[in-house]
Amino acid sequence: AELVSESGVREAVLVTIASDLEPGMSTTASDVTPTVMGSHTLTASATAEDGTSLTGDASLDVGAGEAASIELSLNDDTPEIDQDVRAEAVITDSYGNEIDVPWSLSVAGTGGADGSSVTVTDHMLHFAEEGFFDITATVDGTSISDMVSVLVDSYGPTIDITNPERGTFTTELADSVTGTITDAWSAIASASVNGTDIAVGEDGSFS
């Protein structure tokens, strides 16, 4: 930059420019490049050869850029049947500034689950059936999206005892208890018979 005295003397000086909102703001000899959204106060500083320091301020309002990413979250990631779950999304531009733009939800069932059983109202989800579901949030008019997966598993496993037969009455201990334990959506974590832990096979059988 160039300083001009009252008498018309010109002097080349180095000018530095700083922002109160963005201390590390990028500057060049002719440009400033703010990346933080908000109202900046820019301060230009220069020092003449005689040691005189000069400063000047200017205001600069910086808006956010276009949407670059979306991050989806649910207020409950282990929902139950007939539960309402709220979806929330944080949308940012390429510099990390949060922006408020429209976004939408969609649901797909996986592993045999029926995605159409989930009702979407605005940003609320209502689960009517069990299953695995992929919840996707998309910035309207773009392909920018984020997905979370949830399992709705409200009912316990089904136990079918094949030995002893149903209705059998005896005063003797059975040699063994056999049967199957199955669950439509979850693996069987553990099982016991009369307090004794038992092993459950991949097909759900035990003895």
Side-chain angles (χ1 to χ4, degrees), residues 79-83 107 109 112-119 126-133 150-155 185:
E80 301 289 345
I81 286 179
D82 287 333
Q83 180 180 347
V107 182
D114 181 9
S116 65
S117 68
V118 183
T119 303
H126 182 83
F127 296 90
E129 296 182 4
E130 289 188 317
F132 289 99
F133 301 96
V150 298
L151 169 61
V152 180
D153 188 9
S154 296
Y155 303 123
W185 303 104

Side-chain angles (χ1 to χ4, degrees), residues 114-144:
D114 181 9
S116 65
S117 68
V118 183
T119 303
V120 180
T121 306
D122 294 328
H123 298 150
M124 294 292 294
L125 301 157
H126 182 83
F127 296 90
E129 296 182 4
E130 289 188 317
F132 289 99
F133 301 96
D134 290 339
I135 316 298
T136 301
T138 304
V139 178
D140 290 358
T142 75
S143 60
I144 300 168

Side-chain angles (χ1 to χ4, degrees), residues 4-190:
V4 181
S5 68
E6 293 181 355
S7 61
V9 176
R10 298 176 180 273
E11 178 184 342
V13 295
L14 177 64
V15 177
T16 59
I17 300 177
S19 166
D20 61 334
L21 285 186
E22 189 177 351
M25 181 182 65
S26 174
T27 62
T28 67
S30 58
D31 298 302
V32 295
T33 308
T35 60
V36 176
M37 181 176 63
S39 181
H40 294 245
T41 297
L42 302 182
T43 301
S45 304
T47 302
E49 286 185 357
D50 63 3
T52 302
S53 296
L54 301 173
T55 61
D57 294 334
S59 296
L60 178 65
D61 290 328
V62 177
E66 296 183 353
S69 67
I70 183 172
E71 182 177 351
L72 174 64
S73 63
L74 305 178
N75 70 338
D76 189 342
D77 56 6
T78 56
E80 301 289 345
I81 286 179
D82 287 333
Q83 180 180 347
D84 292 323
V85 175
R86 175 171 293 281
E88 298 178 345
V90 176
I91 303 171
T92 57
D93 65 11
S94 58
Y95 296 108
N97 297 298
E98 290 190 22
I99 57 178
D100 185 12
V101 295
W103 57 280
S104 303
L105 284 174
S106 61
V107 182
T110 62
D114 181 9
S116 65
S117 68
V118 183
T119 303
V120 180
T121 306
D122 294 328
H123 298 150
M124 294 292 294
L125 301 157
H126 182 83
F127 296 90
E129 296 182 4
E130 289 188 317
F132 289 99
F133 301 96
D134 290 339
I135 316 298
T136 301
T138 304
V139 178
D140 290 358
T142 75
S143 60
I144 300 168
S145 64
D146 188 27
M147 184 187 74
V148 297
S149 298
V150 298
L151 169 61
V152 180
D153 188 9
S154 296
Y155 303 123
T158 299
I159 302 175
D160 182 22
I161 297 176
T162 56
N163 182 65
E165 295 182 358
R166 183 180 296 275
T168 299
F169 292 92
T170 180
T171 58
E172 299 179 0
L173 293 176
D175 292 335
S176 64
V177 177
T178 60
T180 57
I181 305 175
T182 56
D183 189 281
W185 303 104
S186 300
I188 305 302
S190 63

